[in-house]
Amino acid sequence: MSKIYKSYYYFLLSLIVAFSYSVNAQNFKMIDINKVANSSPQNFQYSTNNTFVVYKGSFYFSADDGVHGKELFKSDGTSAGTQLVKDIEPGTTSSNITDIISSGSYFYFFVIDPNYRQTVWVSDGTAAGTNPVSNIAPGYGSPFFVVSTDVNGTPYFFYIYSDASGNHMELWKTDATGLAGVKVAALNGIPSQTAVVNGKLFFDCPDYFTGVGDELYVSDGTPAGTHIVEDINPNPYAGSNPAHLTSLNGSLYFTADDGTGNALWVSDGSGGGTHRVPNVNNIMISTISTYGNNPFAIVNSTLYFAGSLFDNNTSTSTGYELCSYDASNPSANIILVKDIAAGATTSSPDNITNISGNLFFSAAANGTDIQLWKSDGTAAGTVLVQNINQGLKHFYYDFHNLNGTLIFSYQNDSLGGELWKSDGTPEGTSLVRDISPGPVSSSPYYLTNYNGTLVFVATAGIAGTELWRTDGTNAGTYMIKDINTTSTDNSGPGGFVQAGKKVMFTAYDPLAQSNIYTTDGTVAGTKALESPVRTGYPFVTLKKEQYLIDFNGNLWKTNGTKAGTKQLPLPSFVKSDSIFILNFFVSDNAIYVYLFNFYTSVGQLWSTDGTPAGTYLLKSDFNSYFNLYPTAVGRTVYFTNVNSNSGSELWKSDGTPAGTVLVKTIGSYNYNPLANLYNYKGKLYFNAYTSSGAGPFLWTSDGTAAGTNVFNGFTVPQQPFAQAGGKLFFFADDNSGLYGTELYCTDGTQSGTYLVKDINPGPAPGYSIYGPFKPLISGDKILYFFADDGITGAELWKTDGTAAGTIFVKDIQPGGNPAYVTEAVNTHDRLFFVLFHDVLWQSDGSGPGTNPVADANLSGASNYMNLAVNGDNLYFSAYTYAAGQELYIGNIRFAFQDNNLTTTPATLSSAVGEMPAVHLKLGPDPAENILQLYVEGIKKTTSATVSIFSLSGALMKTVRSNDIGRLQQLDVSSLARGVYIIKVDDGSKVLFSRFVKL
């Protein structure tokens, strides 16, 4: 896993605190579960194959040595010759280098500084000769460079930036010195691929402003010579989506769709010289590839690719098979080389690579079992090399020519992903070396030809992801250097639940066969489950036993021991790559699983008691991919279903098909769904709009249509409820015009429902949306909450449900700014919470007793996540540079026993304050699952639409934010690996940026 990229979005924390809890110091300990020390050498390139750059006898890449952060390195293939070039961002801060390309007399790369401003750097391979390129985007706000390419010794750069005048997308190059930038042209989009033909740069480019889709462009390096070649598909926003840009014999070959299908085209850079190649066989070309849209394979002057022959007379297709086109023959047509998977079944040829005049590729003769094939360009010469498959899952990638031998990465169940070779014969096809023994993958990547060998990145044991080389033999395959021996990787612990006398949770260690762990609070007592089970879903508890779903959709029961872990005799819930488990929950007597098929947009709800006879498909025609907000009230589960016609509705289930029914048609608006279902005293409470759009109101339900009604006519923000002292608390506005949205509580009766306190006197609201954290924290007798009295901003309060007992605790962030709390737990009416993700606080309900936790073992820790209390212990994960994101455990039984403090109040000062210009900030970049963003320089409560587009302009995701001036968290886990454009539109301005999804 990648190191966590850290960025402080608003403030530099200056904590001047001198604690002396007599029993609280040294209370926490860190358990480093994942001790793998990765340097993660890489050269991430947004638009090309990821390889290292060879320059003046060395190859260059970015890596983390555990001391300097991720910085620029070089290697000559020896341990002694592998060294840091320059620490661009001093200390452990990373410069996050990407897109290293060689061009002319230098090599170039992008750097992202801690403020997420991206710059272009140039280097001659020395520290002194490594510097920013001058005059690129001078004074521009937050530029993001997305594509770089070499054009006959001159580097070209595409990027996006925003300033006070709006959004800009431009093409730049360097001048004759290679050290300064020159603007070439303004664009209306950003390309995903490039090619150079006859000294001209070709690229695809969507037009985000005029309605022209993704089309082919050309540039000769001048403003006048940079333009669209031809609008091949003139339908608005459709685009021809040029792909597989390939230079051959002075022409550009590529695929494009003019509205009649994705076919092969050729261009000389002019509209008149751009046309489809002869195609009497009506062969359409696939754009699906392991490597995306990289150039076609070429043997002599013949192009090879995956294409599908469609017969208009019979309306049948061969499926995607190996096809070719002889570009040297003007009268040639595209032909089918061989129908490997007979009939309409597709063999999906991929990784097509020229090895000394022969083609090697992966294909599935039966449509599913992918194997290694070769071809001489004829049907008779297109044959299976050898079936090396073992187990059920196979994956071929990274085909490379090493001195006439094919070197490739291949993954199966028994060996994992490792390096293989083939000379085209069965006996000459074999494993090069099992770098990471057994089923664990070494995942060879960044394979680069260097001095007659291949250098690459691989993961092996405790050394982690490091730099390797191979000459194609077992003995000649070895680690060049273990660059990082200092800092270790993340385990990312979370999901803490009770398992007997221990706590069970999930964490990641590539050396363990399971990602399920138990701990007794000690290092020695923290162990991975011995059974080979991995899960990405939360545990659920049914009758004091823990259940989980593994990555293959199988249901397991476990108590945290090998003997007590068993797979239940049920079929897998997940049966294809398009099906995802969105909800996994329980009632008092059953387990529920909600599946959603993203291809068919249909959801299924299942229930089970763990036996085949007690497993039911409850409903198979849901169309909701939203959270179901499942909530159990005894043996009944309530949940929501969003219907595009009627809105968000309330459902219930008793675990049987007949008992899975609509409770009542409410018609709550789609984009403001019925939400926050909550069990209080055996009755359901929730927020919902009416079908007319009024609300949201507080509702209750007893499970019947007649008993499902608006509770008291109060409007309530869509925030979760909380309990303390036997009462239910919520924010609400009684619509009298006297109080605004303030804190209320109820005992479940109308007479027992009342305003707790008018915190912000008069009609101004005490409720304030201020961040990702929910403002009410349940307790035994005391409820902690965050509210705005109109003076301090949203700060910490507590209440026992009475006006007199509703007390302001502390102004944590002085100056009217809200306390940006990201997580909190209330245990026995003592509060632990996290400020700005980066500081752990505690409170006993008094101002003097509310302070950052003073513990030397938390020194340097940040990114606190997954706070959970079990017994006398507080569990969470936190990040340090040396250990990564790891497990922390602290005994908090006596944390508040001694309140004799000698404390200087903590002060928080803004590092930069509000910027006068408007900037879109986002990170981490690259992002794995969560992308965080906000717009700097606007009012915090500004509403906006956030849209994510692929580089071809396809809309991938849209969300609505009512608070874009504060940190937002977008779930991008469903996006494929690649580069995406993000657009923020608040109605008066539009901001663009880009990010990388890992």
Side-chain angles (χ1 to χ4, degrees), residues 494-500 502-506 517-519 538-541 546-547 868 870 875:
F496 303 101
V497 295
Q498 185 73 40
K502 296 184 178 182
V503 168
M504 187 162 59
F505 60 98
T506 58
Y517 282 74
T518 57
T519 184
F539 302 107
V540 298
T541 305
Q546 298 299 329
Y547 292 81
N870 194 287
Y875 297 81

Side-chain angles (χ1 to χ4, degrees), residues 607-655:
S607 73
T608 183
D609 62 3
T611 67
T615 301
Y616 305 98
L617 174 59
L618 302 178
K619 185 173 173 58
S620 60
D621 58 352
F622 284 113
N623 64 356
S624 174
Y625 55 83
F626 295 99
N627 189 342
L628 297 184
Y629 298 99
T631 299
V633 180
R635 294 194 167 195
T636 300
V637 165
Y638 292 88
F639 57 93
T640 65
N641 178 29
V642 178
N643 186 293
S644 58
N645 295 320
S646 62
S648 183
E649 303 298 355
L650 181 65
W651 286 67
K652 70 176 182 179
S653 178
D654 62 2

Side-chain angles (χ1 to χ4, degrees), residues 500-556:
K501 295 182 178 180
K502 296 184 178 182
V503 168
M504 187 162 59
F505 60 98
T506 58
Y508 174 74
D509 180 355
L511 305 181
Q513 61 178 340
S514 174
N515 70 337
I516 301 169
Y517 282 74
T518 57
T519 184
D520 60 4
T522 67
V523 175
T526 303
K527 299 178 180 178
L529 188 66
E530 295 181 15
S531 302
V533 184
R534 291 182 177 270
T535 184
Y537 305 100
F539 302 107
V540 298
T541 305
L542 179 62
K543 298 177 182 177
K544 297 184 178 181
E545 292 188 292
Q546 298 299 329
Y547 292 81
L548 63 97
I549 294 180
D550 67 19
F551 283 126
N552 294 318
N554 300 306
L555 184 64
W556 294 70

Side-chain angles (χ1 to χ4, degrees), residues 690-728:
T690 65
S691 58
S692 65
F697 297 116
L698 174 62
W699 292 64
T700 62
S701 178
D702 62 4
T704 68
T708 303
N709 299 289
V710 173
F711 181 62
N712 53 12
F714 290 179
T715 55
V716 293
Q718 288 197 313
Q719 291 285 350
F721 303 99
Q723 289 190 63
K727 297 176 182 178
L728 181 69

Side-chain angles (χ1 to χ4, degrees), residues 696-886:
F697 297 116
L698 174 62
W699 292 64
T700 62
S701 178
D702 62 4
T704 68
T708 303
N709 299 289
V710 173
F711 181 62
N712 53 12
F714 290 179
T715 55
V716 293
Q718 288 197 313
Q719 291 285 350
F721 303 99
Q723 289 190 63
K727 297 176 182 178
L728 181 69
F729 289 84
F730 55 95
F731 282 102
D733 186 342
D734 67 359
N735 299 312
S736 67
L738 299 176
Y739 305 114
T741 302
E742 296 289 351
L743 185 67
Y744 282 75
C745 73
T746 184
D747 62 4
T749 67
Q750 294 287 349
S751 59
T753 302
Y754 57 89
L755 171 70
V756 176
K757 187 171 186 175
D758 188 8
I759 292 170
N760 193 347
Y767 169 76
S768 174
I769 300 175
Y770 64 98
F773 177 71
K774 309 308 180 187
L776 302 175
I777 308 110
S778 295
D780 294 341
K781 296 180 180 179
I782 300 297
L783 176 92
Y784 286 93
F785 64 100
F786 289 82
D788 186 354
D789 61 3
I791 301 172
T792 62
E795 293 291 350
L796 182 62
W797 290 67
K798 70 175 183 180
T799 185
D800 60 3
T802 67
T806 303
I807 301 168
F808 174 72
V809 176
K810 189 165 187 172
D811 188 0
I812 297 168
Q813 174 59 47
N817 295 310
Y820 196 86
V821 175
T822 51
E823 293 200 33
V825 292
N826 183 351
T827 174
H828 303 303
D829 294 333
R830 309 294 186 178
L831 183 68
F832 287 87
F833 61 98
V834 178
L835 190 67
F836 294 103
H837 289 288
D838 284 340
V839 184
L840 180 64
W841 284 60
Q842 60 186 352
S843 178
D844 62 359
S846 69
T850 303
N851 293 287
V853 173
D855 193 310
N857 291 323
L858 297 180
S859 177
S862 63
N863 203 56
Y864 292 85
M865 299 174 63
N866 302 321
L867 269 66
V869 172
N870 194 287
D872 293 333
N873 289 330
L874 176 67
Y875 297 81
F876 56 89
S877 75
Y879 173 84
T880 62
Y881 182 76
Q885 191 82 22
E886 291 296 343

